[in-house]
Amino acid sequence: MLSLDWNKLLRCVTVATVLSGVPSAQAYTWPNPLMEELDSQVYDRSDYNARKLPTGMRPSCGSFVFGEATGRANVGDWLRVAYHDMATHNKTDGTGGLDASIRFEESRDENAGDGFFNTIFFISPFANRYFSLADDIALAAVTAVEMCGGPKIAFRGGRVDAQEANAPGVPEPQQTLDEHIASFDRQGFTQEEMIGLVACGHSFGGVQNVAFPTIVPPSNDPNNTSGNAPFDSTFTEFDNKVVTEYLDGTTQNPLVIGPNVTTRSDFRIFNSDNNATMSKFADSSVFMSTCADLLARMINTVPSTVTLTEEVQPLPIKPTAMTLSFAGNGNIQLKGEVRFWNGSSDSDVKLFWKSRDGTTSPDFSVPLTLDTDHVTEPLVPGFPSLKSLWYDLPAISVNATQSISSFWFEVDGKVEDQNGVGYAMQDIVMMSNGSCLLLGDGTNVQLVLKFAIRADVKPSRVYLKADALDSSNAPIVQTTDLPLTTPESTLSGYNVWSATVASPINGWTVAVDVDGKTYETTYIVPGTSFSLSYANPTLCPQ
């Protein structure tokens, strides 16, 4: 019987997907707000609509957000935070893992240094209702590796933020080899995998005197105020120097040659199989492929109660910020833009739609226009020329009694409809023209919401869902009920309502519950698609 290396096969499928723009069997179907957001976080990295994690690697991988002369870099902190968060996992009882509990564990001796606070402080504003802080921590590590010379790491989302600390359990330099082997075994890693994970993790960063004064001495270098002693000579680039310098005897890794023999934990770990594993890693390709697998396993080590999503693949044709809005004159407008993964600038693209009752017509179509200024770079390792192109929708207005139930595309004459499923739209609730901000005295800004609900539905609840961060910097959704009394108007089968609420700072939607189902307006992440977003209303007329 033919034996298949499934890990290798999946890596090949992933590369083929990236190159061709064709989704693999794991690709999601739009609409799926969770997967859409994860797709954007992973693959919209630079230029138009780019997400913010990559800014931690700007202008270079040597950047450090909290000072220019510390001798440190964000990349080391970000990878360390992800491991320390995961390292509380207990494979026997399924507790612990990468769940953002690290924010409750920063004061422990096993989490020495300010890298945990710094990292959470910097990345937490990027979290939202579909991108947990735990996902944020995991992707920060992935982003650091992928943008700074490392391999592509398969990413899954859906991590759940813990609400309390997990049991202690992060390995410490002064522990014995047996203690380290037992600790990694509890986490779910063998001795050989322990060697690999430590080598991969220590491709970045070093040990700072300010956090570990008994391991490394202070520095007199004005450009190294933290007293950072790097693990290798390229501590801001992901490569196998931590291995080759160890093997050839040139290493300055303080956990290998430091004056305190008790804290030479890297030496004990690397040498624990007589350097058999480290010798394999002298081959850069072996090191990179092993790190891709081990780091993916590391970030996917979560509490047993959590189920992660499928691997996040880029949707080849991805509608973004697609909104139906009530125009106030009995018409509905469709607005939005479309990302074409690795698209061609000379493609002929048309959008077609169906009315609410499923009717189609030659008139139900428009050409899309490529905006040459709107280009996104995914920055996928090994494929620097990949780009996503964005097409704008022209003004699309339909009678509200017809509405739009779904749409699809033709690209150079070929139908693109998600294998016959189409791209579905809900028209139960939508924003209406006229939402605006009331500034008041400047300290109590209010949002005047104008929204329309189909007159043939009877919602049991209507409410605002607004993103916020809790006291521990984890994203939460706050809800505010919107009482309905008398509609401002009724037109073309819709009731138009108005409500005034405290203005949300972050993303928000209006939701309605109908017969056990929830329908809501389009969620638009702040800082993206500004020109399309009703989430940025103008000031109310005085």
Side-chain angles (χ1 to χ4, degrees), residues 17-71:
T17 299
V18 167
L19 283 174
S20 67
V22 178
S24 73
Q26 295 177 318
Y28 63 96
T29 299
W30 192 99
N32 185 326
L34 170 62
M35 294 303 296
E36 292 169 48
E37 175 60 8
L38 294 172
D39 178 344
S40 292
Q41 290 285 353
V42 175
Y43 293 109
D44 293 343
R45 281 183 168 161
S46 181
D47 297 323
Y48 185 67
N49 268 347
R51 298 314 168 91
K52 304 302 183 184
L53 276 174
T55 60
M57 276 75 255
R58 302 259 166 71
S60 73
C61 291
S63 296
F64 186 61
V65 176
F66 297 91
E68 296 182 355
T70 62

Side-chain angles (χ1 to χ4, degrees), residues 18 27 69 85 183 187 191 232 305 322 336 373 411 435 458-459 486:
V18 167
D85 194 12
S183 179
Q187 299 162 33
Q191 180 178 347
D232 66 18
T305 54
M322 298 295 278
D373 292 330
V411 181
S435 294
K458 304 299 180 185
T486 303

Side-chain angles (χ1 to χ4, degrees), residues 67-199:
E68 296 182 355
T70 62
R72 297 167 61 181
N74 299 321
V75 290
D77 283 352
W78 288 15
L79 191 52
R80 182 174 181 236
V81 169
Y83 172 72
H84 279 235
D85 194 12
M86 180 282 300
T88 60
H89 183 66
N90 187 317
K91 68 179 184 182
T92 302
D93 61 20
T95 59
L98 209 163
D99 59 3
S101 64
I102 191 70
R103 67 196 194 279
F104 302 115
E105 301 157 0
E106 295 175 19
S107 62
R108 293 175 178 171
D109 289 344
E110 65 189 33
N111 296 322
D114 60 7
F116 306 97
F117 173 84
N118 290 349
T119 299
I120 299 300
F121 181 84
F122 182 77
I123 72 173
S124 59
F126 312 148
N128 57 55
R129 68 179 69 177
Y130 297 118
F131 186 54
S132 67
L133 183 57
D135 280 346
D136 205 354
I137 291 170
L139 189 57
V142 169
T143 302
V145 171
E146 291 189 359
M147 288 187 62
C148 296
K152 180 79 177 76
I153 299 172
F155 185 80
R156 303 171 187 270
R159 292 166 189 80
V160 177
D161 295 332
Q163 296 305 308
E164 60 184 3
N166 287 317
V170 180
E172 297 184 71
Q174 73 276 9
Q175 292 175 330
T176 66
L177 177 62
D178 286 343
E179 287 176 302
H180 282 141
I181 292 173
S183 179
F184 277 86
D185 178 69
R186 170 182 49 76
Q187 299 162 33
F189 297 94
T190 66
Q191 180 178 347
E192 181 177 349
E193 291 166 344
M194 170 187 71
I195 298 169
L197 200 54
V198 172

Side-chain angles (χ1 to χ4, degrees), residues 71-73 75-76 203-206 228 230-238:
R72 297 167 61 181
V75 290
S203 178
F204 285 151
N228 184 48
F231 293 125
D232 66 18
S233 60
T234 55
F235 72 98
T236 64
E237 296 295 325
F238 196 91

Side-chain angles (χ1 to χ4, degrees), residues 236-251:
T236 64
E237 296 295 325
F238 196 91
D239 56 29
N240 68 338
K241 288 286 189 181
V242 68
V243 174
T244 58
E245 291 173 2
Y246 163 79
L247 292 173
D248 67 19
T250 62
T251 184

